[in-house]
Amino acid sequence: PRGRCSRIRPCRRRAPLGLVAGARSGDKGGSANIGLWARGDDAWRWLAHELTADRVRELLPETARFPVRRHVLPNLRALNFTVDGILGEGVASGARFDPQAKALGEWLRSRHLEIPEALL
């Protein structure tokens, strides 16, 4: 971490998102759904602030040219992202390594971010 850590500026460490969030993903036609959830309130506050649609596009570059929509589900401590068109016309016509988007959630969990150490 750069500078001093404090309550306002917690120490952070580069680590996989999956240490803080669970995920499940799948498809609906040509769109992918990625659901993420936090295990506790502190992790939820961080996740809801950190993971925007633009941030998902950065972490998953293959989504950059597609519309990504974020849905916030605070009572579940969860976020859902839809990536419209990433699967083309759907499973039957897809040539992606993951034509049903089943691994997309785990791929996102594997991406490294600066995460507050208190959450790790």
Side-chain angles (χ1 to χ4, degrees), residues 38-59:
R39 293 174 182 90
D41 291 337
D42 290 340
W44 162 243
R45 282 187 286 278
W46 175 81
L47 185 68
H49 177 77
E50 180 70 25
L51 218 52
T52 63
D54 287 338
R55 188 72 166 123
V56 167
R57 280 190 203 94
E58 288 174 23
L59 294 169

Side-chain angles (χ1 to χ4, degrees), residues 66-110:
F66 300 101
V68 176
R69 288 179 288 145
R70 180 176 104 144
H71 307 276
V72 181
L73 307 162
N75 291 340
L76 300 174
R77 293 187 199 124
L79 299 171
N80 185 69
F81 294 90
T82 56
V83 185
D84 294 324
I86 193 167
L87 301 174
E89 294 178 27
V91 175
S93 67
R96 284 180 42 88
F97 75 93
D98 182 22
Q100 293 179 305
K102 298 290 184 203
L104 208 48
E106 288 303 313
W107 179 234
L108 183 56
R109 289 182 77 231
S110 76

